[in-house]
Amino acid sequence: MVGVRGASARDDALKRDVDACREAGCRAVVLFDRDVPSGGARNIESPSQVRDLIAFLREALGDDLLVAIDQEGGSVQRLRAERGFVESPSAADLAMMSLHERAEHHRATVAQLRDLGIGMNFAPCVDLAIDSASPIIAAKGRSFASEPARVLALALESIEAHREARVVACAKHFPGHGSASSDSHLGLPDITEAWRESRELAPFVALAHEENLAMMTAHLLHRGVDADLPASLSRVWTTGVLRERLGFDGVVVTDSLDMRAVTDRFPAGEAAARAIGAGADLALDANNMPGAVRACPAPEMAGAIARAVEDGTIPEERLREAAARVDALVAFTRASDGPPPTRA
């Protein structure tokens, strides 16, 4: 999954990125309102424009293309009222509302996503508000609460609303970002001393058997679990803990591999191959961090994964397994007849 630049089929940048995605056999794209390297707009101008953009992307890259977005609400939302979209409250604000008010906001958010043709939303955030000064979670109002039971209850409301609209929710950031005192966009947070398994892992344990739910792995280092690699690139975390111990069999997507927590050590291709080898099903590079404009990373990512299969680093079965999970998720988003599956 990669980020692409441009808002319409007429944009040269979008044409170049789509060509690169086609060359790489790219399976999914993520949309943004702002292009960070340039400081300008990126993919989102208005509801009708987004519908047209997604239609163009599906025509160019295949009708089974998975289109994703970050629409948590509050400070992390790409669809904003000033552009004609439904405003989404932050997790912290939702937690202060009544059950009825939350339900109305969830319905409005997911109905909008469904109407636009977006199949996956990188929400809800199930990190706990442990460190109130956390620059990327609590300080931005991205956590529902500090207690696991409250976070789980409110997350399930969001997940169920997504499921009813056949939009895939994605719980994040495994194994829990709430105690991290630094931002993985800027470097690799070390959570070894602060992270508490009984609290921070609890929402992921409870959600592990939910149907049609994805999970996002974070760029977090815990030296007691994997002394070298962040959870997003770690087989110990992704396969050993999330898959085997928690029993999660849904789609695993990495947090964006263009963050400095990863890029300070690994180029895009190697990071993608490591993520897939670790057990992720979608290696995500949003290509939207500060700095010089980069070419679309999809060919580099696909090439590195292919080489890892050829040299035996990644078993071919690992790719078949990942593809089957993504196929099932896309099929869920495209189904329109009959009631959606009920929560496990």
Side-chain angles (χ1 to χ4, degrees), residues 183-206:
D183 180 353
S184 53
H185 292 82
L186 307 178
L188 178 58
D190 187 331
I191 60 170
T192 307
E193 301 301 326
W195 188 81
R196 294 294 177 264
E197 177 177 326
S198 61
R199 291 185 67 187
E200 295 195 65
L201 204 62
F204 299 99
V205 172

PDB file of all heavy atoms in Angstrom, residues 183-206:
ATOM      1  N   ASP A 183       7.725  10.468  19.290  1.00  0.00           N
ATOM      2  CA  ASP A 183       6.927  10.326  18.081  1.00  0.00           C
ATOM      3  C   ASP A 183       7.705   9.511  17.049  1.00  0.00           C
ATOM      4  O   ASP A 183       8.831   9.879  16.681  1.00  0.00           O
ATOM      5  CB  ASP A 183       6.622  11.733  17.551  1.00  0.00           C
ATOM      6  CG  ASP A 183       5.781  11.754  16.288  1.00  0.00           C
ATOM      7  OD1 ASP A 183       5.514  10.682  15.715  1.00  0.00           O
ATOM      8  OD2 ASP A 183       5.402  12.861  15.866  1.00  0.00           O
ATOM      9  N   SER A 184       7.119   8.413  16.576  1.00  0.00           N
ATOM     10  CA  SER A 184       7.816   7.549  15.616  1.00  0.00           C
ATOM     11  C   SER A 184       7.996   8.200  14.253  1.00  0.00           C
ATOM     12  O   SER A 184       8.756   7.692  13.428  1.00  0.00           O
ATOM     13  CB  SER A 184       7.091   6.206  15.474  1.00  0.00           C
ATOM     14  OG  SER A 184       5.730   6.387  15.182  1.00  0.00           O
ATOM     15  N   HIS A 185       7.291   9.317  13.996  1.00  0.00           N
ATOM     16  CA  HIS A 185       7.578  10.066  12.775  1.00  0.00           C
ATOM     17  C   HIS A 185       9.006  10.624  12.811  1.00  0.00           C
ATOM     18  O   HIS A 185       9.616  10.841  11.762  1.00  0.00           O
ATOM     19  CB  HIS A 185       6.607  11.237  12.608  1.00  0.00           C
ATOM     20  CG  HIS A 185       5.196  10.825  12.333  1.00  0.00           C
ATOM     21  ND1 HIS A 185       4.329  10.447  13.325  1.00  0.00           N
ATOM     22  CD2 HIS A 185       4.506  10.746  11.164  1.00  0.00           C
ATOM     23  CE1 HIS A 185       3.151  10.152  12.791  1.00  0.00           C
ATOM     24  NE2 HIS A 185       3.241  10.321  11.487  1.00  0.00           N
ATOM     25  N   LEU A 186       9.505  10.879  14.017  1.00  0.00           N
ATOM     26  CA  LEU A 186      10.775  11.590  14.183  1.00  0.00           C
ATOM     27  C   LEU A 186      11.927  10.693  14.608  1.00  0.00           C
ATOM     28  O   LEU A 186      13.082  11.109  14.555  1.00  0.00           O
ATOM     29  CB  LEU A 186      10.609  12.709  15.216  1.00  0.00           C
ATOM     30  CG  LEU A 186       9.447  13.680  14.958  1.00  0.00           C
ATOM     31  CD1 LEU A 186       9.356  14.706  16.084  1.00  0.00           C
ATOM     32  CD2 LEU A 186       9.607  14.361  13.601  1.00  0.00           C
ATOM     33  N   GLY A 187      11.643   9.491  15.046  1.00  0.00           N
ATOM     34  CA  GLY A 187      12.666   8.569  15.513  1.00  0.00           C
ATOM     35  C   GLY A 187      12.006   7.329  16.078  1.00  0.00           C
ATOM     36  O   GLY A 187      10.775   7.213  16.067  1.00  0.00           O
ATOM     37  N   LEU A 188      12.800   6.399  16.563  1.00  0.00           N
ATOM     38  CA  LEU A 188      12.270   5.126  17.049  1.00  0.00           C
ATOM     39  C   LEU A 188      12.027   5.200  18.564  1.00  0.00           C
ATOM     40  O   LEU A 188      12.979   5.216  19.348  1.00  0.00           O
ATOM     41  CB  LEU A 188      13.241   3.995  16.733  1.00  0.00           C
ATOM     42  CG  LEU A 188      12.845   2.595  17.215  1.00  0.00           C
ATOM     43  CD1 LEU A 188      11.488   2.177  16.622  1.00  0.00           C
ATOM     44  CD2 LEU A 188      13.923   1.579  16.854  1.00  0.00           C
ATOM     45  N   PRO A 189      10.757   5.216  19.003  1.00  0.00           N
ATOM     46  CA  PRO A 189      10.485   5.232  20.443  1.00  0.00           C
ATOM     47  C   PRO A 189      10.866   3.904  21.089  1.00  0.00           C
ATOM     48  O   PRO A 189      10.550   2.839  20.566  1.00  0.00           O
ATOM     49  CB  PRO A 189       8.961   5.447  20.512  1.00  0.00           C
ATOM     50  CG  PRO A 189       8.573   5.991  19.170  1.00  0.00           C
ATOM     51  CD  PRO A 189       9.526   5.362  18.206  1.00  0.00           C
ATOM     52  N   ASP A 190      11.522   3.993  22.222  1.00  0.00           N
ATOM     53  CA  ASP A 190      11.876   2.818  23.011  1.00  0.00           C
ATOM     54  C   ASP A 190      10.893   2.750  24.177  1.00  0.00           C
ATOM     55  O   ASP A 190      10.894   3.608  25.061  1.00  0.00           O
ATOM     56  CB  ASP A 190      13.315   2.939  23.512  1.00  0.00           C
ATOM     57  CG  ASP A 190      13.799   1.671  24.208  1.00  0.00           C
ATOM     58  OD1 ASP A 190      12.962   0.939  24.784  1.00  0.00           O
ATOM     59  OD2 ASP A 190      15.027   1.427  24.195  1.00  0.00           O
ATOM     60  N   ILE A 191      10.036   1.717  24.181  1.00  0.00           N
ATOM     61  CA  ILE A 191       8.992   1.600  25.202  1.00  0.00           C
ATOM     62  C   ILE A 191       9.338   0.551  26.256  1.00  0.00           C
ATOM     63  O   ILE A 191       8.487   0.159  27.048  1.00  0.00           O
ATOM     64  CB  ILE A 191       7.631   1.262  24.559  1.00  0.00           C
ATOM     65  CG1 ILE A 191       7.706  -0.079  23.789  1.00  0.00           C
ATOM     66  CG2 ILE A 191       7.176   2.385  23.643  1.00  0.00           C
ATOM     67  CD1 ILE A 191       6.350  -0.605  23.325  1.00  0.00           C
ATOM     68  N   THR A 192      10.593   0.113  26.272  1.00  0.00           N
ATOM     69  CA  THR A 192      10.998  -0.997  27.133  1.00  0.00           C
ATOM     70  C   THR A 192      10.624  -0.763  28.592  1.00  0.00           C
ATOM     71  O   THR A 192      10.084  -1.660  29.254  1.00  0.00           O
ATOM     72  CB  THR A 192      12.512  -1.240  27.020  1.00  0.00           C
ATOM     73  OG1 THR A 192      12.864  -1.403  25.639  1.00  0.00           O
ATOM     74  CG2 THR A 192      12.921  -2.477  27.805  1.00  0.00           C
ATOM     75  N   GLU A 193      10.897   0.417  29.112  1.00  0.00           N
ATOM     76  CA  GLU A 193      10.666   0.694  30.521  1.00  0.00           C
ATOM     77  C   GLU A 193       9.224   1.122  30.801  1.00  0.00           C
ATOM     78  O   GLU A 193       8.701   0.861  31.889  1.00  0.00           O
ATOM     79  CB  GLU A 193      11.634   1.785  31.001  1.00  0.00           C
ATOM     80  CG  GLU A 193      13.100   1.427  30.840  1.00  0.00           C
ATOM     81  CD  GLU A 193      13.473   0.166  31.605  1.00  0.00           C
ATOM     82  OE1 GLU A 193      12.905  -0.069  32.685  1.00  0.00           O
ATOM     83  OE2 GLU A 193      14.345  -0.585  31.123  1.00  0.00           O
ATOM     84  N   ALA A 194       8.579   1.772  29.843  1.00  0.00           N
ATOM     85  CA  ALA A 194       7.261   2.364  30.108  1.00  0.00           C
ATOM     86  C   ALA A 194       6.095   1.431  29.816  1.00  0.00           C
ATOM     87  O   ALA A 194       5.049   1.508  30.472  1.00  0.00           O
ATOM     88  CB  ALA A 194       7.108   3.643  29.277  1.00  0.00           C
ATOM     89  N   TRP A 195       6.247   0.549  28.835  1.00  0.00           N
ATOM     90  CA  TRP A 195       5.121  -0.288  28.363  1.00  0.00           C
ATOM     91  C   TRP A 195       4.746  -1.338  29.391  1.00  0.00           C
ATOM     92  O   TRP A 195       5.611  -1.998  29.963  1.00  0.00           O
ATOM     93  CB  TRP A 195       5.529  -0.945  27.050  1.00  0.00           C
ATOM     94  CG  TRP A 195       4.454  -1.695  26.327  1.00  0.00           C
ATOM     95  CD1 TRP A 195       3.484  -1.175  25.524  1.00  0.00           C
ATOM     96  CD2 TRP A 195       4.276  -3.118  26.298  1.00  0.00           C
ATOM     97  NE1 TRP A 195       2.710  -2.175  24.991  1.00  0.00           N
ATOM     98  CE2 TRP A 195       3.176  -3.389  25.458  1.00  0.00           C
ATOM     99  CE3 TRP A 195       4.949  -4.189  26.893  1.00  0.00           C
ATOM    100  CZ2 TRP A 195       2.734  -4.677  25.201  1.00  0.00           C
ATOM    101  CZ3 TRP A 195       4.501  -5.475  26.647  1.00  0.00           C
ATOM    102  CH2 TRP A 195       3.394  -5.713  25.801  1.00  0.00           C
ATOM    103  N   ARG A 196       3.435  -1.481  29.637  1.00  0.00           N
ATOM    104  CA  ARG A 196       2.932  -2.475  30.576  1.00  0.00           C
ATOM    105  C   ARG A 196       1.964  -3.400  29.845  1.00  0.00           C
ATOM    106  O   ARG A 196       0.878  -2.997  29.446  1.00  0.00           O
ATOM    107  CB  ARG A 196       2.241  -1.804  31.762  1.00  0.00           C
ATOM    108  CG  ARG A 196       3.176  -0.989  32.639  1.00  0.00           C
ATOM    109  CD  ARG A 196       4.191  -1.881  33.335  1.00  0.00           C
ATOM    110  NE  ARG A 196       5.153  -1.109  34.146  1.00  0.00           N
ATOM    111  CZ  ARG A 196       6.347  -0.729  33.719  1.00  0.00           C
ATOM    112  NH1 ARG A 196       6.737  -1.028  32.467  1.00  0.00           N
ATOM    113  NH2 ARG A 196       7.162  -0.062  34.513  1.00  0.00           N
ATOM    114  N   GLU A 197       2.374  -4.650  29.702  1.00  0.00           N
ATOM    115  CA  GLU A 197       1.616  -5.612  28.907  1.00  0.00           C
ATOM    116  C   GLU A 197       0.173  -5.757  29.380  1.00  0.00           C
ATOM    117  O   GLU A 197      -0.755  -5.773  28.567  1.00  0.00           O
ATOM    118  CB  GLU A 197       2.306  -6.967  28.944  1.00  0.00           C
ATOM    119  CG  GLU A 197       1.552  -8.056  28.199  1.00  0.00           C
ATOM    120  CD  GLU A 197       2.294  -9.374  28.201  1.00  0.00           C
ATOM    121  OE1 GLU A 197       3.538  -9.367  28.155  1.00  0.00           O
ATOM    122  OE2 GLU A 197       1.621 -10.418  28.252  1.00  0.00           O
ATOM    123  N   SER A 198      -0.034  -5.861  30.683  1.00  0.00           N
ATOM    124  CA  SER A 198      -1.382  -6.131  31.197  1.00  0.00           C
ATOM    125  C   SER A 198      -2.367  -5.038  30.829  1.00  0.00           C
ATOM    126  O   SER A 198      -3.571  -5.291  30.710  1.00  0.00           O
ATOM    127  CB  SER A 198      -1.338  -6.301  32.717  1.00  0.00           C
ATOM    128  OG  SER A 198      -0.873  -5.114  33.336  1.00  0.00           O
ATOM    129  N   ARG A 199      -1.884  -3.824  30.625  1.00  0.00           N
ATOM    130  CA  ARG A 199      -2.766  -2.719  30.249  1.00  0.00           C
ATOM    131  C   ARG A 199      -2.778  -2.484  28.740  1.00  0.00           C
ATOM    132  O   ARG A 199      -3.814  -2.490  28.100  1.00  0.00           O
ATOM    133  CB  ARG A 199      -2.346  -1.422  30.950  1.00  0.00           C
ATOM    134  CG  ARG A 199      -2.584  -1.411  32.454  1.00  0.00           C
ATOM    135  CD  ARG A 199      -2.245  -0.060  33.045  1.00  0.00           C
ATOM    136  NE  ARG A 199      -3.168   0.983  32.594  1.00  0.00           N
ATOM    137  CZ  ARG A 199      -3.009   2.281  32.850  1.00  0.00           C
ATOM    138  NH1 ARG A 199      -1.947   2.690  33.527  1.00  0.00           N
ATOM    139  NH2 ARG A 199      -3.878   3.163  32.415  1.00  0.00           N
ATOM    140  N   GLU A 200      -1.609  -2.274  28.174  1.00  0.00           N
ATOM    141  CA  GLU A 200      -1.544  -1.788  26.793  1.00  0.00           C
ATOM    142  C   GLU A 200      -1.878  -2.852  25.752  1.00  0.00           C
ATOM    143  O   GLU A 200      -2.381  -2.543  24.670  1.00  0.00           O
ATOM    144  CB  GLU A 200      -0.178  -1.168  26.521  1.00  0.00           C
ATOM    145  CG  GLU A 200       0.054   0.077  27.370  1.00  0.00           C
ATOM    146  CD  GLU A 200       1.212   0.903  26.889  1.00  0.00           C
ATOM    147  OE1 GLU A 200       1.138   1.447  25.785  1.00  0.00           O
ATOM    148  OE2 GLU A 200       2.213   0.993  27.636  1.00  0.00           O
ATOM    149  N   LEU A 201      -1.607  -4.109  26.081  1.00  0.00           N
ATOM    150  CA  LEU A 201      -1.925  -5.169  25.135  1.00  0.00           C
ATOM    151  C   LEU A 201      -3.396  -5.591  25.232  1.00  0.00           C
ATOM    152  O   LEU A 201      -3.931  -6.216  24.308  1.00  0.00           O
ATOM    153  CB  LEU A 201      -1.014  -6.374  25.382  1.00  0.00           C
ATOM    154  CG  LEU A 201      -0.798  -7.322  24.206  1.00  0.00           C
ATOM    155  CD1 LEU A 201      -0.136  -6.601  23.047  1.00  0.00           C
ATOM    156  CD2 LEU A 201       0.061  -8.510  24.643  1.00  0.00           C
ATOM    157  N   ALA A 202      -4.047  -5.239  26.339  1.00  0.00           N
ATOM    158  CA  ALA A 202      -5.404  -5.721  26.608  1.00  0.00           C
ATOM    159  C   ALA A 202      -6.410  -5.445  25.486  1.00  0.00           C
ATOM    160  O   ALA A 202      -7.169  -6.348  25.109  1.00  0.00           O
ATOM    161  CB  ALA A 202      -5.916  -5.151  27.930  1.00  0.00           C
ATOM    162  N   PRO A 203      -6.475  -4.238  24.913  1.00  0.00           N
ATOM    163  CA  PRO A 203      -7.444  -4.035  23.829  1.00  0.00           C
ATOM    164  C   PRO A 203      -7.182  -4.930  22.622  1.00  0.00           C
ATOM    165  O   PRO A 203      -8.124  -5.419  21.984  1.00  0.00           O
ATOM    166  CB  PRO A 203      -7.268  -2.555  23.461  1.00  0.00           C
ATOM    167  CG  PRO A 203      -6.691  -1.927  24.687  1.00  0.00           C
ATOM    168  CD  PRO A 203      -5.801  -2.977  25.278  1.00  0.00           C
ATOM    169  N   PHE A 204      -5.922  -5.164  22.305  1.00  0.00           N
ATOM    170  CA  PHE A 204      -5.591  -6.010  21.158  1.00  0.00           C
ATOM    171  C   PHE A 204      -5.941  -7.474  21.431  1.00  0.00           C
ATOM    172  O   PHE A 204      -6.395  -8.189  20.533  1.00  0.00           O
ATOM    173  CB  PHE A 204      -4.109  -5.857  20.802  1.00  0.00           C
ATOM    174  CG  PHE A 204      -3.732  -4.457  20.410  1.00  0.00           C
ATOM    175  CD1 PHE A 204      -3.128  -3.609  21.326  1.00  0.00           C
ATOM    176  CD2 PHE A 204      -4.007  -3.975  19.142  1.00  0.00           C
ATOM    177  CE1 PHE A 204      -2.786  -2.305  20.974  1.00  0.00           C
ATOM    178  CE2 PHE A 204      -3.673  -2.684  18.775  1.00  0.00           C
ATOM    179  CZ  PHE A 204      -3.067  -1.841  19.699  1.00  0.00           C
ATOM    180  N   VAL A 205      -5.737  -7.910  22.664  1.00  0.00           N
ATOM    181  CA  VAL A 205      -6.137  -9.271  23.045  1.00  0.00           C
ATOM    182  C   VAL A 205      -7.643  -9.434  22.852  1.00  0.00           C
ATOM    183  O   VAL A 205      -8.114 -10.428  22.277  1.00  0.00           O
ATOM    184  CB  VAL A 205      -5.753  -9.556  24.513  1.00  0.00           C
ATOM    185  CG1 VAL A 205      -6.340 -10.895  24.970  1.00  0.00           C
ATOM    186  CG2 VAL A 205      -4.235  -9.559  24.685  1.00  0.00           C
ATOM    187  N   ALA A 206      -8.413  -8.461  23.321  1.00  0.00           N
ATOM    188  CA  ALA A 206      -9.869  -8.552  23.251  1.00  0.00           C
ATOM    189  C   ALA A 206     -10.395  -8.457  21.821  1.00  0.00           C
ATOM    190  O   ALA A 206     -11.452  -9.015  21.503  1.00  0.00           O
ATOM    191  CB  ALA A 206     -10.488  -7.447  24.102  1.00  0.00           C
TER     192      ALA A 206
END
